[in-house]
Amino acid sequence: MDIKTRIRVALGIEEETIALAFEGKLKDGTIIVSEADALAEGVAVMVMTEDGTTIDVPVGSYEMEDGATFVVEEEGIIASMGEAEEVEEVETEEEDKEEMADDRLAEFSEVVMQLFTEMKEEIDVLKEELSIISGTNLSQEEEIVDLQKENTELSKQLKTTPATENVVVNKFSKETSNKVRLSKSEYNKLSQQEKFLYDISK
């Protein structure tokens, strides 16, 4: 709008007619409009009042309902734009990463607990097997000790018990003539020891 038109509008001679292409709301509900299709740096922006008239947006920083921000350094002119959504997206990405990290930590903890349980079960099985083996070895050792004792006692008994008959080993002894002569069939029925004693007693 040129200066002449502004003066005529101010004097009420001519009504202000503005073709508005953009309309939006600030976060506090204030309606803003612009002749441009969208808010951008260098675009004129105005506030729509309740009676339908417009005034230039005062100097300051503003935030739209959708999160977009803009700064006005000269009344009615956008100096710079900002995207709050990017910050929110970054925060969301960080939150997603934290959630993923928590999920992975939980999965790792679950795997560790499962492995610990399996290892504990294997250790218990090994302990049980070792206990059985140890018990078997102990019983075998006890049997060996018992046999050794029994052998010792038998040896003592053999040493202290006298023979019932003296064995004659001299074949020229006078007593050989009194020995009973065995037939071949009877001789064959004798054990090796009996055969040996019989032979030396001839």
Side-chain angles (χ1 to χ4, degrees), residues 53-100:
T53 58
T54 59
I55 58 173
D56 292 336
V57 174
V59 174
S61 298
Y62 300 92
E63 183 178 356
M64 301 291 291
E65 281 186 334
D66 60 3
T69 60
F70 62 90
V71 177
V72 175
E73 295 179 353
E74 178 185 351
E75 287 189 1
I77 304 297
I78 295 176
S80 61
M81 293 290 299
E83 293 290 339
E85 290 181 359
E86 293 180 359
V87 176
E88 291 179 359
E89 288 178 0
V90 170
E91 291 177 354
T92 302
E93 288 178 0
E94 291 179 353
E95 290 176 357
D96 291 341
K97 288 180 180 178
E98 289 178 359
E99 289 179 0
M100 290 175 64

Side-chain angles (χ1 to χ4, degrees), residues 7-19:
I7 293 172
R8 292 173 65 85
V9 170
L11 294 174
I13 299 173
E14 183 174 339
E15 292 184 358
E16 182 180 10
T17 57
I18 301 175

Side-chain angles (χ1 to χ4, degrees), residues 92-157:
T92 302
E93 288 178 0
E94 291 179 353
E95 290 176 357
D96 291 341
K97 288 180 180 178
E98 289 178 359
E99 289 179 0
M100 290 175 64
D102 292 339
D103 292 340
R104 289 179 181 176
L105 180 60
E107 291 177 1
F108 178 74
S109 299
E110 186 177 351
V111 171
V112 169
M113 288 300 296
Q114 185 176 357
L115 289 174
F116 179 78
T117 302
E118 292 177 356
M119 289 177 63
K120 186 176 182 300
E121 291 176 354
E122 291 180 1
I123 290 172
D124 291 340
V125 171
L126 288 174
K127 283 182 178 179
E128 185 176 354
E129 291 178 352
L130 287 173
S131 176
I132 293 171
I133 293 170
S134 299
T136 303
N137 290 338
L138 287 174
S139 62
Q140 290 177 350
E141 290 176 1
E142 290 173 356
E143 289 179 1
I144 292 171
V145 171
D146 291 341
L147 289 173
Q148 288 176 345
K149 287 181 179 179
E150 185 178 350
N151 187 28
T152 303
E153 291 177 359
L154 288 173
S155 298
K156 288 180 180 179
Q157 290 177 5

